[in-house]
Amino acid sequence: MKLATLRVNGSTRAVRLDGDRLVDLGAADLGELLSSGDWAAKAAAVDAGAATTYPVEDADFAPVVPAPSKVVCVGLNYKNHIQEMGRDLPRYPTLFAKFADCLIGAADDIARPEETGEFDWEVELAVVIGKPVRRAEGAEAEAAIAGFTVLNDVTCRDWQFRTKEWLQGKIWDSSTPVGPYVVTPDELPGGVRPELEVTLSVDGEVMQNDNTGDLLFDPVALVEYVSTIVRLNPGDIIATGTPGGVGHARTPKRYLTGGERVVTEIQGIGRLENTVAKDGAS
């Protein structure tokens, strides 16, 4: 299934893609649906002929989970990106966090802060959690994955590298598009360890292109690792890292200055199409 959270008349609804229609699943958003228990059976059972539906064309997608209890991000997880940043392959994942206030929808404007001069892009495969887990291993970690979505970890590099901790460069308000769909593993090649082409372009120029098969720590390993540290709740998001091609690693360096159209796409999942707002007020 392909699931999403749709903005409708000033509120949101959890929906399932069915051809050219989005089928209302009876929940306010995907976070509520995933927290309800047996969510997959509930979502599949909704009759498109009897339920409220909405057209896909011109759909206004909210972040797939508007208010996750946590967004855990992984740095330096594609082998080629680690090498372009001049680092050794890590023994353990590098983790940092984002907050719900960072997240925006699949077509929303990215708020570029006036305080940064080094605004950069990062296409990422993101895991969405479907059941509560703590210290999950093996099959339990696999079963905790509801599906996958697309995330652009837009970063203020000058703030990221002010200190050894990256957080302050990663958590700017209204800067992180995520969506449009959560796609269940059964629809993707490789299932819970999908091998998918990821691309990002700026004004039509391809900046990043790779395959999630290059991940050093795959989605299941990340669920195991993160859930060892903290409980994972339904709707939580794990961003799995970005491949090579970020602006900061280019010669000369390239950054988003405002007005650019950024398209972030993952095979079989969908695409984010966002304009960078000049001197965003958020």
Side-chain angles (χ1 to χ4, degrees):
M1 291 183 288
K2 286 190 172 183
L3 308 173
T5 296
L6 183 68
R7 297 185 180 114
V8 180
N9 298 325
S11 61
T12 58
R13 304 298 299 168
V15 294
R16 183 191 76 223
L17 180 64
D18 193 335
D20 62 355
R21 306 292 293 180
L22 296 166
V23 180
D24 195 304
L25 300 178
D29 57 53
L30 281 190
E32 179 180 297
L33 177 68
L34 293 171
S35 297
S36 68
D38 201 20
W39 59 268
K42 292 176 182 176
V46 175
D47 183 357
T52 300
T53 65
Y54 315 95
V56 172
E57 187 176 4
D58 298 324
D60 185 7
F61 291 105
V64 283
V65 180
S69 74
K70 63 188 71 68
V71 180
V72 180
C73 303
V74 182
L76 302 175
N77 197 24
Y78 281 80
K79 300 180 187 74
N80 68 355
H81 180 49
I82 296 169
Q83 291 164 351
E84 79 170 357
M85 298 300 279
R87 298 173 183 262
D88 295 329
L89 296 182
R91 182 178 177 185
Y92 303 109
T94 298
L95 302 182
F96 57 93
K98 285 184 180 283
F99 308 123
D101 291 332
C102 305
L103 305 180
I104 60 174
D108 295 346
D109 286 353
I110 298 169
R112 180 189 178 278
E114 62 183 13
E115 295 86 355
T116 185
E118 299 182 359
F119 206 46
D120 203 355
W121 55 82
E122 292 190 3
V123 57
E124 306 207 11
L125 175 73
V127 180
V128 179
I129 299 298
K131 61 193 303 184
V133 286
R134 182 76 200 282
R135 298 188 175 92
E137 294 183 358
E140 185 183 11
E142 294 180 3
I145 297 175
F148 298 93
T149 192
V150 186
L151 184 145
N152 186 355
D153 178 18
V154 179
T155 302
C156 298
R157 297 293 185 196
D158 39 3
W159 286 75
Q160 177 186 2
F161 297 121
R162 283 186 171 193
T163 67
K164 292 182 179 180
E165 299 293 337
W166 294 355
L167 187 71
Q168 61 190 317
K170 297 287 190 174
I171 57 172
W172 289 77
D173 202 293
S174 305
S175 65
T176 305
V178 59
Y181 298 104
V182 173
V183 180
T184 51
D186 59 289
E187 292 206 5
L188 298 172
V192 293
R193 295 177 176 87
E195 295 189 8
L196 307 171
E197 183 180 15
V198 301
T199 59
L200 184 143
S201 65
V202 178
D203 289 338
E205 181 181 356
V206 175
M207 299 296 186
Q208 294 181 277
N209 180 255
D210 209 321
N211 190 287
T212 57
D214 191 49
L215 287 171
L216 182 61
F217 304 103
D218 68 40
V220 177
L222 292 173
V223 171
E224 292 176 332
Y225 190 80
V226 175
S227 71
T228 300
I229 301 166
V230 64
R231 76 192 72 176
L232 290 172
N233 299 312
D236 285 351
I237 296 171
I238 302 175
T240 62
T242 199
V246 299
H248 189 74
R250 292 174 175 268
T251 305
K253 299 181 188 299
R254 297 272 299 272
Y255 299 113
L256 301 168
T257 59
E260 298 93 345
R261 189 70 169 167
V262 182
V263 177
T264 312
E265 188 167 10
I266 298 182
Q267 170 194 1
I269 298 178
R271 60 195 283 155
L272 309 169
E273 298 187 46
N274 308 94
T275 297
V276 180
K278 293 185 178 181
D279 296 327
S282 294

